[in-house]
Amino acid sequence: MDIQKLESLLKSVQSRKMSVEDAIFQLKALPFKDLGFARVDHHRSLRKGFPEVVWGEGKTSAQILSIMKQLRSRGENILITRLEERKAKAIQKTFPKSRYYPRSKVLTHLTHPLKSGGKGVILVITAGTSDIPVAEEAALTAQFMGNRVETLYDVGVAGIHRLLSERKKLEKARILIVVAGMEGALPSVVGGLVDRPVIAVPTSIGYGTSFGGIAALLAMLNSCATGVAVVNIDNGFGAGYMASLVNRM
Amino acid sequence: MDIQKLESLLKSVQSRKMSVEDAIFQLKALPFKDLGFARVDHHRSLRKGFPEVVWGEGKTSAQILSIMKQLRSRGENILITRLEERKAKAIQKTFPKSRYYPRSKVLTHLTHPLKSGGKGVILVITAGTSDIPVAEEAALTAQFMGNRVETLYDVGVAGIHRLLSERKKLEKARILIVVAGMEGALPSVVGGLVDRPVIAVPTSIGYGTSFGGIAALLAMLNSCATGVAVVNIDNGFGAGYMASLVNRM
Amino acid sequence: MDIQKLESLLKSVQSRKMSVEDAIFQLKALPFKDLGFARVDHHRSLRKGFPEVVWGEGKTSAQILSIMKQLRSRGENILITRLEERKAKAIQKTFPKSRYYPRSKVLTHLTHPLKSGGKGVILVITAGTSDIPVAEEAALTAQFMGNRVETLYDVGVAGIHRLLSERKKLEKARILIVVAGMEGALPSVVGGLVDRPVIAVPTSIGYGTSFGGIAALLAMLNSCATGVAVVNIDNGFGAGYMASLVNRM
Amino acid sequence: MDIQKLESLLKSVQSRKMSVEDAIFQLKALPFKDLGFARVDHHRSLRKGFPEVVWGEGKTSAQILSIMKQLRSRGENILITRLEERKAKAIQKTFPKSRYYPRSKVLTHLTHPLKSGGKGVILVITAGTSDIPVAEEAALTAQFMGNRVETLYDVGVAGIHRLLSERKKLEKARILIVVAGMEGALPSVVGGLVDRPVIAVPTSIGYGTSFGGIAALLAMLNSCATGVAVVNIDNGFGAGYMASLVNRM
Amino acid sequence: MDIQKLESLLKSVQSRKMSVEDAIFQLKALPFKDLGFARVDHHRSLRKGFPEVVWGEGKTSAQILSIMKQLRSRGENILITRLEERKAKAIQKTFPKSRYYPRSKVLTHLTHPLKSGGKGVILVITAGTSDIPVAEEAALTAQFMGNRVETLYDVGVAGIHRLLSERKKLEKARILIVVAGMEGALPSVVGGLVDRPVIAVPTSIGYGTSFGGIAALLAMLNSCATGVAVVNIDNGFGAGYMASLVNRM
Amino acid sequence: MDIQKLESLLKSVQSRKMSVEDAIFQLKALPFKDLGFARVDHHRSLRKGFPEVVWGEGKTSAQILSIMKQLRSRGENILITRLEERKAKAIQKTFPKSRYYPRSKVLTHLTHPLKSGGKGVILVITAGTSDIPVAEEAALTAQFMGNRVETLYDVGVAGIHRLLSERKKLEKARILIVVAGMEGALPSVVGGLVDRPVIAVPTSIGYGTSFGGIAALLAMLNSCATGVAVVNIDNGFGAGYMASLVNRM
Amino acid sequence: MDIQKLESLLKSVQSRKMSVEDAIFQLKALPFKDLGFARVDHHRSLRKGFPEVVWGEGKTSAQILSIMKQLRSRGENILITRLEERKAKAIQKTFPKSRYYPRSKVLTHLTHPLKSGGKGVILVITAGTSDIPVAEEAALTAQFMGNRVETLYDVGVAGIHRLLSERKKLEKARILIVVAGMEGALPSVVGGLVDRPVIAVPTSIGYGTSFGGIAALLAMLNSCATGVAVVNIDNGFGAGYMASLVNRM
Amino acid sequence: MDIQKLESLLKSVQSRKMSVEDAIFQLKALPFKDLGFARVDHHRSLRKGFPEVVWGEGKTSAQILSIMKQLRSRGENILITRLEERKAKAIQKTFPKSRYYPRSKVLTHLTHPLKSGGKGVILVITAGTSDIPVAEEAALTAQFMGNRVETLYDVGVAGIHRLLSERKKLEKARILIVVAGMEGALPSVVGGLVDRPVIAVPTSIGYGTSFGGIAALLAMLNSCATGVAVVNIDNGFGAGYMASLVNRM
């Protein structure tokens, strides 16, 4: 259901071709076509302008397939995150053209070409190689949302010259996603080098007192650099989505 | 020191009117005119395009005055945050045209009119009335950075109709700052209603298990809404700055 | 042992047909028929008016069977929670008429029809689909305690219109159980919409800073809505039980 | 604004004496008569059936007086919680008939007699004498909401016979509020003795590892007794309100 | 090496039959007969009067066997705690007369009869059946140290009459070990009933906010009862040992 | 009320000179002579054999005086802990013979000489000089309970020879109270040197990551020494009481 | 790339045989020979004077082999930490002369003899036998960095004489690494006995309130001994590296 | 008491001019000249080679004066840390030549010139100006221990060029103390730039999620740079002492 349909419905109300009750009924019924276990929320497409994204964790292959079929029947592009490889393989039997990225556990299925939506480049940076899975989730999300994405991996602060030697790449980006575990210092340094918004993503990489990403999260929340905002630990998707919203502006 | 000065310096190097050593010397010496206790960082103006902001907490009135005089001598507009009323009064003796906002503990001093930089409206929302001081810090920062700012206060989720009745205001905003303490749920609801970036600011408002804002922070980091990024507890300035960066895009 | 038996025993004491010592002996001996590893507490039935519920976690199938047989011999209905599927299958060999709910890991065995005890409808609401197992534990518990139960799943706050479109269901309920993980904001919104008691159940659904349900728990404890009380993380049983106590009033 | 007014407004819409736009306008405008700093929410009275309660902490005397005057002009009874004695004295100059309870920091002002709403007795119990201020906040809230309230103070678990000797009082209550700091064990014991709902209130009483009430909170959330739900640390008001909702049923 | 040997050595020094250097050499060399990976500390037997106890966790069967052989060669009784069943079976091939307790993961091997050392009865109490493994570790340790031990299991505070009906058993005990998970309230109640020392043992039994025993630990540390001291979570051995030290007095 | 009175009462029941109801009435009424705000618990004296101790924190001087007068009228010795100096001075006007210890904030009032109850010496040890206030609370409590107490202060583990040079004192003690803040290592070392029970008391002495005594508490709970049990942070009274219970054995 | 190469490059710039741009290009290009997933940082060798160390955790065997081949081609000695045995076996097929230490999960491959770099002995001490894997990681790292290393295992504070009897070994060391879990007290005692720097390594050994090494970490950070600095939990490598830096001085 | 005295004492024993008992007596008696409340530990001077440092917090002026007089009588130089200005002024009446540093709350009193002990320069770096008090405590301690100290303040990572422009200063240092609050990232960056040991000092500077220095502490413990070890939050003294030990090597 797109905005045109909504407008025509409302005009039918205005012109009394449709009663208010019927209008309310249709508005309520349409978007929540109940699948028994999950409401696929077509309103979100109206509100955010992006297709629905499916969170794969904790859902069975059968549940995901059911959602995907409904979305496909509406001609939507589909992005599934946190999907275990085992489930991806089961899904690809029904959706053979879907593509699975095992490192970031993302699956995409396109029914029509992605539209370009972002105005500039989103740069995804990681401190270490272990942070790449989260970064890839962010990058794939941003690409799926219609953005050009570049990456710059393994430029952590203990070898600051590695980052500084890529300054052109930093300055070219319109918005930056900085992914780091352990001490989580990279967003502060990057935020001090650029005049663009930085989305910081703490990762659960580390051991001992990294406490599954809390050390990195705290460092990012306490950044002495300005222009840094933070998402949940390992939330590559959230960072990619946020950056996409900003890059459309 | 602005970009023009930097370029002419570099061209002098290229044309060998200035040795590389001298260039490096000037570049290093100029921006950090050492005040004995703090380096006023004029490079930041180069990098971010915004004037320096002074963090007032933990600095004496004398220290702040010294920084302000140097900034004024360069013709900069000045924003001071976290400034106790007692210090503000001392400062206003030397800077009588400066303006102090006691609720948010912000002081501004303008040497020239603020330039408009933002492209749209930044909307600052609070859940309760106790969150207003942090919201005002965000709003003043964004205004100081050249943005139009609107506010919508006391629309917390326990009376959801109060928020919903202001939907037009929500939809008009280009970027939203949502400030909430206690259970910190408001950014999730707002994020679900708009298709614009939401900067969430947890506040230390609450008691018992609010743990000085941790409850609100965790709620915001775990938001089920997309397009939400978070700053430190009570960090109105950081949210206003981040929103300003985005609103210039 | 029911209240009638207790009264007749006490009257025998009064009329000196039974010595006090004997009375005490019987009172003490009867209710704790020792199974070697667990005291099945028949006093609880006296006190609470509900049959014994067995906590399945950490007990072997053999231990559970032993308890079930004793309860069956007294003609009690049986509810077992947190029972792994593997153990349930072993138990169903001996209790073939028992029913197992794999999603919520609940097993029930009825020796006589459930008596209706609650005066109105208990509505069980979840924020997401992943919260359903905990919700189902609550719903089954309340049904087992003699209540009519309705459910409303996947109406989280990021799509607030989904909840609002079900307002009639909300208003019809006499008591509401609201189950949510991640940011745990749903009980606050629901609590603001109804004038009935809300039992909030945080779930361990989420990742990173959800900290296994702590984020949701804190949000619920700090709810700005009135009429909200909270049970332990994932404690669907506790919420169902509490709601049943209230619904009898 | 009461339900009658709402119904007549809606009937005016139905009979086309009022346009929908006007109706919406009135509905939105009326309830939020903006006081500049806080929206006094008259919808809440509609929804919950109780008058507005004002949270005194963090508000100035002037702000509270402004809210009280508006509420008085509508003929509402007023309850203010967390009000420092200094502010209470300032308020009593304008509201000389208001009554202040220094132990619990509660102020009440009655414009008409309290209506009896609850069906039975609410019993408020404390573990120690230091828990009484929180208990009193709960008791006053429940009385203000129209309930009969009894109290039983200083019956902590280390002297279990003190509690047991009051068993009649326990059994007479329709709902119980149990207030405890330190190890927070009392709700578990009480919950095991009665077949009525128990609202547990942890207090910040204690030292060292009581961590400002966390020890008591955790004990209550982990209660092995059934029929126990928990509110925030020191949240006597919340417990009194919840109990009032239940006691109306 | 026993005290007689030590005295004769020291007298040899006094009488100059042995040089001080030699004495020091022997004293240092004897007790630490190095096994390559662990120093079996025979001094401890001197100091505490109890035989060495071996902590089984993290040691291989081969390492444990090596230690056991050395201890056996000195005629010591052996107690091994936290020993997985798999390792116990391997050990019993070499020590067929040793006895393994799978519930508490304790293995004992006696080379001579246990001497009675304690003056009274040590009573081990649990709140629930799930706490029994930890209680059994405490009971076996105390028996091994020469004490008479009685047990009282599954008498948690939610059914306080179960505990009160065993009051004679409580009063007969010279020292009590109280084992509880979840809300950890039992030691407070027991401490209020007896005039004997109570050793409280929190267990990791529970879920959600029990946080692996932290809730119980905090409750015990904050006990409002006097005469209660606490050991580490699940530390049945430590409680049994402490009680044995006290019971010798 | 002492045990003789209780026995005579019970014999009156047995011989039917008193009805059971009257007996119950007297038993219940006598011990809880209600002071309005606190139940002075004379049962405790029956149960524990020690007089009542009053916790001074959070009580007004007037409340404490009221309790003291009632206790004095019964001829009890009185110990008040956590009493601020200001309150102590007010009390000493009415109880001029009472003695106040400002370092540990303890006040004692004797109506009859202390009876010796302990069989041996209780040794109170501190790691640093800052731990002495807590140690003194423990020492005074133990003395008040009738024990001989010795002290050994400032023998922390960073200068281990200071402790070792006092080995005789260690070995002479029948039970040891070890008080330490910061890293809390002293109980482990002492526990390794003696074959007597060690009561470990963490103190809130330290800064930064001492977290108000948590570091010391955790160290003590994780002690690799046997025969160590722990009380709450800064709980000198609890340690002194526990040691007194043990020393009577 | 070694310092000679860098100097000759810079002299080529000085003598204008190479343009600055080319120089920058080479400097940037050379050290980060991109392997696709990880930048092997040859600059680090320049900066620190030690060869690169590879963190094995989270890397596949194929990734590690690729890095190793590149390092071998440059004639570097290789140290890999946190390498699971399974991966080590795969690597040893290609690098048959490499040596794997299963206890500490370290693999070394030498292409040329280790150069001696340290001036004195580094002594690695553990509190218990369970701490040895972490200690071995430290010892192997220090040896690989060219130091003489001695070890002293299982000398925890509960048997303080075991440590004291090795005082000569302690005094001979130039720098000490002290590894301890549980209560983490050993570095404080060692720090009090020697006048040399102590690197403290908390381990995750323990249970219950050891919280995976937090108890030991806090104890070490709060050490009352001077000359103690701390690394992350289980970070044997970091301690060995730090000690090597110091021992070169 | 110095090493010469100790040797002559031991030779007197060897030559039987002094009995062993007398020797032990003197050794024990001499170093602990008991001041009643604190043992001034002259052994430490023997062991560490540095004079005693007095921790001023929690000691009264009178206590400190008593310690200072004893130390002065032995001709020792004195360093007092954490001394409030009020106490310093009281002390300076008796010790007029002592010098007080109000920013770092350090007082020094020299009875003889400081001996130079360190071999190179210790560089103390801070991230912000608010970290300077802690840095000054470190710097003064190191100077007092006989080291040349240089400082580099306010070079935090958000303006990384400020640090990089001081690279020569970094490279000249033999050991570096890096002091930072907020996100605590500076030690990682510095550790990546130098090949010298870095002592990292987290400070309690920050707000909200800085949690009084925990964010900075965790960042430092999780540093991806090698050669970094950490001391307690705000422990400037500990860092200065550790650096002094290393700089003597």
Side-chain angles (χ1 to χ4, degrees), chain B:
Chain B
M1 181 172 196
D2 57 18
I3 287 185
Q4 281 72 29
K5 283 195 191 170
L6 180 62
E7 281 181 9
S8 79
L9 181 150
L10 290 172
K11 283 181 183 161
S12 299
V13 172
Q14 201 180 36
S15 59
R16 306 204 172 229
K17 289 176 188 156
M18 183 186 286
S19 74
V20 169
E21 290 86 324
D22 286 357
I24 288 169
F25 182 79
Q26 284 210 17
L27 280 169
K28 265 173 40 185
L30 281 174
F32 305 124
K33 192 151 179 182
D34 204 318
L35 302 184
F37 52 84
R39 294 164 189 253
V40 174
D41 185 357
H42 301 295
H43 269 341
R44 182 170 294 178
S45 168
L46 284 185
R47 278 178 289 112
K48 293 277 185 182
F50 293 134
E52 180 81 0
V53 174
V54 180
W55 176 259
E57 201 167 280
K59 295 200 180 71
T60 65
S61 305
Q63 288 174 324
I64 294 169
L65 277 170
S66 165
I67 296 172
M68 286 180 78
K69 284 173 189 166
Q70 217 213 13
L71 290 168
R72 182 174 56 181
S73 72
R74 294 171 176 283
E76 309 253 28
N77 287 331
I78 305 169
L79 178 77
I80 305 178
T81 62
R82 308 244 166 167
L83 186 72
E84 291 168 34
E85 190 149 16
R86 184 182 49 74
K87 294 183 197 169
K89 284 182 176 157
I91 285 165
Q92 287 182 316
K93 285 178 191 156
T94 309
F95 287 80
K97 278 192 275 186
S98 67
R99 182 155 172 209
Y100 183 64
Y101 302 81
R103 199 162 53 169
S104 52
K105 296 189 185 165
V106 164
L107 182 145
T108 55
H109 178 80
L110 300 188
T111 54
H112 55 78
L114 292 169
K115 267 179 273 181
S116 173
K119 294 184 182 165
V121 168
I122 295 175
L123 178 62
V124 181
I125 306 175
T126 74
T129 55
S130 307
D131 303 315
I132 293 176
V134 174
E136 192 179 271
E137 187 185 275
L140 287 169
T141 300
Q143 283 170 346
F144 188 76
M145 299 304 175
N147 298 279
R148 265 175 303 142
V149 175
E150 297 191 3
T151 61
L152 181 56
Y153 290 163
D154 196 25
V155 292
V157 299
I160 197 72
H161 57 292
R162 293 185 291 187
L163 179 68
L164 297 177
S165 70
E166 300 282 3
R167 195 133 171 194
K168 267 184 203 157
K169 220 168 181 176
L170 295 178
E171 276 159 12
K172 198 177 78 183
R174 198 158 181 262
I175 180 161
L176 302 94
I177 295 170
V178 185
V179 183
M182 299 177 74
E183 82 269 68
L186 192 56
S188 293
V189 175
V190 171
L193 292 172
V194 301
D195 58 350
R196 294 299 190 173
V198 170
I199 310 297
V201 191
T203 72
S204 52
I205 296 303
Y207 64 96
T209 55
S210 88
F211 297 137
I214 295 179
L217 170 69
L218 293 182
M220 292 172 184
L221 288 169
N222 286 285
S223 176
C224 55
T226 47
V228 177
V230 187
V231 297
N232 198 357
I233 295 167
D234 291 335
N235 189 5
F237 165 71
Y241 200 102
M242 182 69 171
S244 300
L245 279 185
V246 171
N247 198 29
R248 287 196 310 190
M249 295 176 71

Side-chain angles (χ1 to χ4, degrees), chain F residues 12-13 23-24 30 66 81 99 125 143 148 164 184 203 211 213 229 243:
Chain F
S12 300
V13 173
I24 288 169
L30 280 175
S66 166
T81 62
R99 180 154 174 212
I125 307 175
Q143 282 170 346
R148 263 175 305 140
L164 297 177
T203 72
F211 297 137

